[in-house]
Amino acid sequence: MAAPRQEQISPQISPETAVLDYDVIIIGAGLSGMYQLHRLRELGLTVRVFETGTDVGGTWYWNRYPGARFDSESYSYGYSFSKELLQEWEWSEHFAGQPETLRYCRYVADKFDLRRDIAFECRVASAIYQDEARSWAITLASGARATCRFLITAIGPLSTPTLPRIEGRDSFRGQSFHTARWPKQKVDFAGKRVAVIGTGATGIQTIQTIAGEVGHLTVFQRTANWAAPLHNGKIDAETQAAIKAGYPEMFRRCQETFACFVHTPDPRGAFEVSDEEREAFYEKLYGERGFGIWQGNFRDILIDRTANATISDFVARKIRERVKDPAVAEMLIPKNHGFGTRRLPLETFYYEVYNRDNVGLVDLNETPIERITQEGIRTSDKDYPFDIIIYATGFDAITGSFDRIDFRGSSGALLKDKWQHGPETYLGLMVDGFPNMMMLMGPHTALGNIPRSIEYSVDWVTGLLRFAQAKGLTLLDATPEGTAGWTDHVKALGVGLLSNEVNSWMTGINTNVEGKQRRIVARYSGSAPAYRAKCDEVAAKGYDELRLA
Ligand code: NAP
């Protein structure tokens, strides 16, 4: 791929006379960046995408750890914008694995000829706004530079993996991997002594997948997580035909549900039914595919502690039934947060793994890790020798991918400084003082079923750029009032949510990152329809809440 032209913008230059390399630069060729590129071609703009990886796919490119797969229904997750694509592509399972999903991303890239505008192996190191030229100057890690009028970040909310800050980590002589930086070559687990640190959605998928392959597996758990069965299965021909015929209806439903999943909260409260009806409802949800038990549960389980206790008790009983050793079962039952108040991992015989002779569970609250040694892991209790250590230790979420790029807005203001007390955004799409920069899936947007949210945000940004093109605008900026108003709105929406009272990536906590030990409100937690209604209104009023020039 050709390196971008090396362009130095003179500070005296005006927006009209500035010679820019591209109209738009997009950072990231994951699902957001790919679709944004596709849409911007309609406007006839020159667009360049810079991507760190060697291929498209973002999350699905990097997270190639064993057992990585969707936990929202495959067909509700794919792009909806092309009827032809929907009819051509066939998902083989209700919840497709990572290799299939990456194949899908590549298929989309080929079908829409996206790669010709994507520069791979190009990590953006800095993005600096040039006030006089009303443009952005991008510098890559290689030192190459490129300029553009509009900058779009498509860098993902969970794309900056973090390793534990444990002494001796580099001294380990065996193999070690973070799940989000998994090697492309197959890792041989046969007969190996393997450690997994971390029991979030990633750790759970990894553990349940490799337990049968390894010689011995030791799981190091700091916080037990609630998890519920995925109930994956192959899609037969008849179901495939029904899925294809039902796409318009399914996507319409996703537009109406709270978080764009096919599931949405039951209108009843947990105590508006009898004990028997509640138990039967939970039993039904536990037996169904996907996120129903989280997203399609009683409307009050995520806001009312007593309602939440009923589902937590139910799932705790299930764990006790499934894990033979009662002491291990108790270790696996979360005691410090209620069901669904962290992002729910979905599992496939995860709990049964702990009934195997070759699997052990270590509670790090009882016996913390003291250091990594050349041979393995030393806890306060003993030394564990390992051949392989797997870090399923998560991400510097939501703001982390912004922190690692040096973003400087108008007059050189640092984005990192502006967000030092938590993100401040306008609609989750823009930040005042960072003109001509739009964020896809940044802080304060409706995440939920991500591709549905991506398509909406991309369409909104495309609409804004079409408007700018039609009016000859060279400056689009959020106002300080707009940013303060949206940030306050997002914070107000989070009040009363049990999830905001729990430490997790969703509340910005990462013990492995300096300065990320304080909870923040980084997610929009209102409904997706309400989010879209607000953004639509802004567009319909000619973006009059923005500063335009
Ligand atoms: P995570 O949920 O943040 O879990 C990280 C795990 O590592 C936690 O158990 C954490 O313990 C542990 N950990 C971190 N640092 C540690 C340390 N220094 N010592 C010991 N333990 C440590 O990360 P994740 O599992 O990668 O999942 C992140 C998100 O990615 C998910 O919630 C989900 O949204 C997404 N995801 C989606 C899928 C899917 O769609 N199928 C699959 C995987 C992930 P603490 O809880 O005590 O911090």
Side-chain angles (χ1 to χ4, degrees):
M1 199 60 69
R5 210 144 38 93
Q6 309 241 337
E7 199 81 52
Q8 192 79 42
I9 291 189
S10 146
Q12 279 80 38
I13 220 149
S14 75
E16 291 72 28
T17 57
V19 179
L20 302 175
D21 296 323
Y22 306 105
D23 294 318
V24 183
I25 286 177
I26 299 170
I27 313 178
L31 290 175
S32 309
M34 289 166 67
Y35 180 48
Q36 185 67 78
L37 168 61
H38 175 67
R39 287 298 320 266
L40 290 182
R41 285 195 181 150
E42 280 168 30
L43 306 189
L45 298 173
T46 55
V47 185
R48 192 69 163 157
V49 182
F50 291 121
E51 163 59 47
T52 306
T54 58
D55 205 349
V56 296
T59 285
W60 300 103
Y61 169 87
W62 294 104
N63 288 275
R64 49 183 81 231
Y65 60 85
R69 67 173 59 251
F70 283 148
D71 48 19
S72 22
E73 289 73 3
S74 310
Y75 25 90
S76 79
Y77 191 98
Y79 289 117
S80 72
F81 69 86
S82 162
K83 284 198 181 102
E84 205 176 270
L85 174 65
L86 287 168
Q87 294 306 316
E88 280 169 10
W89 185 262
E90 303 211 330
W91 295 105
S92 68
E93 293 177 280
H94 287 276
F95 304 91
Q98 177 271 339
E100 182 169 345
T101 310
L102 185 57
R103 273 202 302 281
Y104 172 75
C105 296
R106 289 178 175 151
Y107 183 84
V108 173
D110 290 341
K111 180 173 174 67
F112 298 99
D113 190 19
L114 298 180
R115 284 195 180 82
R116 70 180 150 90
D117 289 321
I118 304 175
F120 294 103
E121 296 183 81
C122 287
R123 192 172 68 73
V124 172
S126 73
I128 297 175
Y129 184 69
Q130 320 278 317
D131 283 287
E132 292 81 5
R134 293 182 181 165
S135 67
W136 283 88
I138 306 303
T139 305
L140 304 180
S142 64
R145 295 188 44 159
T147 53
C148 61
R149 175 76 68 215
F150 300 109
L151 175 65
I152 300 179
T153 65
I155 51 186
L158 291 158
S159 53
T160 305
T162 48
L163 288 162
R165 294 186 285 181
I166 304 175
E167 217 184 305
R169 213 186 59 219
D170 296 332
S171 66
F172 181 58
R173 286 204 191 124
Q175 291 177 289
S176 60
F177 313 105
H178 189 289
T179 44
R181 290 293 177 272
W182 200 262
K184 289 180 181 167
Q185 305 73 25
K186 193 169 163 35
V187 175
D188 180 15
F189 289 114
K192 302 274 168 61
R193 299 160 302 173
V194 180
V196 175
I197 303 177
T199 51
T202 302
I204 286 175
Q205 288 186 333
T206 307
I207 292 161
Q208 69 195 13
T209 306
I210 64 171
E213 283 179 54
V214 301
H216 192 274
L217 175 65
T218 310
V219 176
F220 292 87
Q221 171 185 275
R222 187 168 62 183
T223 308
N225 271 310
W226 296 102
L230 176 68
H231 294 300
N232 193 14
K234 297 267 179 228
I235 297 176
D236 59 30
E238 197 183 328
T239 312
Q240 192 74 257
I243 288 169
K244 286 189 179 178
Y247 271 131
E249 169 58 21
M250 189 207 59
F251 286 126
R252 191 194 54 72
R253 178 167 166 73
C254 289
Q255 290 300 102
E256 288 173 0
T257 59
F258 192 87
C260 303
F261 292 107
V262 290
H263 317 275
T264 205
D266 189 287
R268 299 169 299 169
F271 295 107
E272 288 168 21
V273 298
S274 69
D275 291 353
E276 293 73 26
E277 283 172 304
R278 190 185 319 115
E279 182 75 6
F281 184 53
Y282 289 161
E283 199 65 64
K284 173 176 148 328
L285 292 175
Y286 202 77
E288 285 177 354
R289 286 188 210 291
F291 277 139
I293 196 163
W294 186 38
Q295 293 291 320
N297 212 315
F298 292 120
R299 64 172 158 75
D300 51 359
I301 64 145
L302 299 180
I303 47 174
D304 180 313
R305 269 174 223 292
T306 9
N308 184 276
T310 63
I311 181 68
S312 298
D313 289 348
F314 174 87
V315 179
R317 271 186 276 132
K318 289 289 181 194
I319 297 171
R320 290 188 187 106
E321 279 168 24
R322 292 173 59 184
V323 178
K324 283 187 193 146
D325 181 335
V328 175
E330 287 315 305
M331 280 163 72
L332 291 166
I333 295 171
K335 305 292 188 308
N336 66 354
H337 66 283
F339 178 87
T341 60
R342 290 173 137 203
R343 200 287 204 168
L344 184 75
L346 293 180
E347 47 84 24
T348 304
F349 302 120
Y350 171 64
Y351 292 106
E352 287 72 10
V353 159
Y354 296 95
N355 298 334
R356 299 177 62 97
D357 292 337
N358 71 333
V359 177
L361 179 63
V362 175
D363 182 348
L364 294 179
N365 300 301
E366 293 289 321
T367 55
I369 296 177
E370 289 186 341
R371 61 172 297 131
I372 309 283
T373 64
Q374 292 183 353
E375 282 76 35
I377 294 177
R378 179 175 303 156
T379 67
S380 58
D381 180 41
K382 66 188 239 193
D383 275 297
Y384 294 83
F386 292 113
D387 303 303
I388 300 175
I389 299 178
I390 299 174
Y391 296 101
T393 44
F395 302 88
D396 185 359
I398 304 182
T399 52
S401 45
F402 287 88
D403 290 346
R404 64 178 173 171
I405 297 174
D406 184 14
F407 284 105
R408 290 166 197 245
S410 194
S411 308
L414 282 173
L415 185 62
K416 216 170 177 171
D417 285 349
K418 187 163 178 73
W419 286 0
Q420 62 180 310
H421 302 298
E424 297 176 9
T425 78
Y426 174 66
L427 305 179
L429 289 158
M430 300 175 79
V431 183
D432 69 290
F434 292 77
N436 297 353
M437 178 173 109
M438 275 70 68
M439 303 178 293
L440 300 172
M441 298 301 97
H444 296 174
T445 28
L447 295 175
N449 184 1
I450 291 251
R452 304 282 64 76
S453 306
I454 286 173
E455 285 189 334
Y456 179 78
S457 297
V458 166
D459 291 347
W460 193 91
V461 168
T462 307
L464 175 61
L465 293 189
R466 178 179 281 122
F467 178 83
Q469 202 178 29
K471 304 272 181 199
L473 301 172
T474 50
L475 184 138
L476 315 169
D477 198 3
T479 63
E481 304 75 44
T483 301
W486 182 254
T487 303
D488 288 347
H489 175 61
V490 170
K491 286 183 181 167
L493 284 171
V495 174
L497 278 183
L498 299 179
S499 60
N500 279 352
E501 298 165 16
V502 171
N503 288 353
S504 76
W505 68 259
M506 300 202 300
T507 48
I509 300 288
N510 187 319
T511 59
N512 307 314
V513 182
E514 194 71 49
K516 301 244 167 145
Q517 279 78 49
R518 196 177 50 84
R519 282 187 212 142
I520 55 166
V521 179
R523 284 178 317 133
Y524 169 87
S525 47
S527 78
Y531 176 76
R532 290 193 301 266
K534 170 64 189 170
C535 296
D536 285 349
E537 184 193 311
V538 169
K541 287 189 183 159
Y543 308 94
D544 64 358
E545 291 186 15
L546 295 179
R547 189 165 69 88
L548 307 171

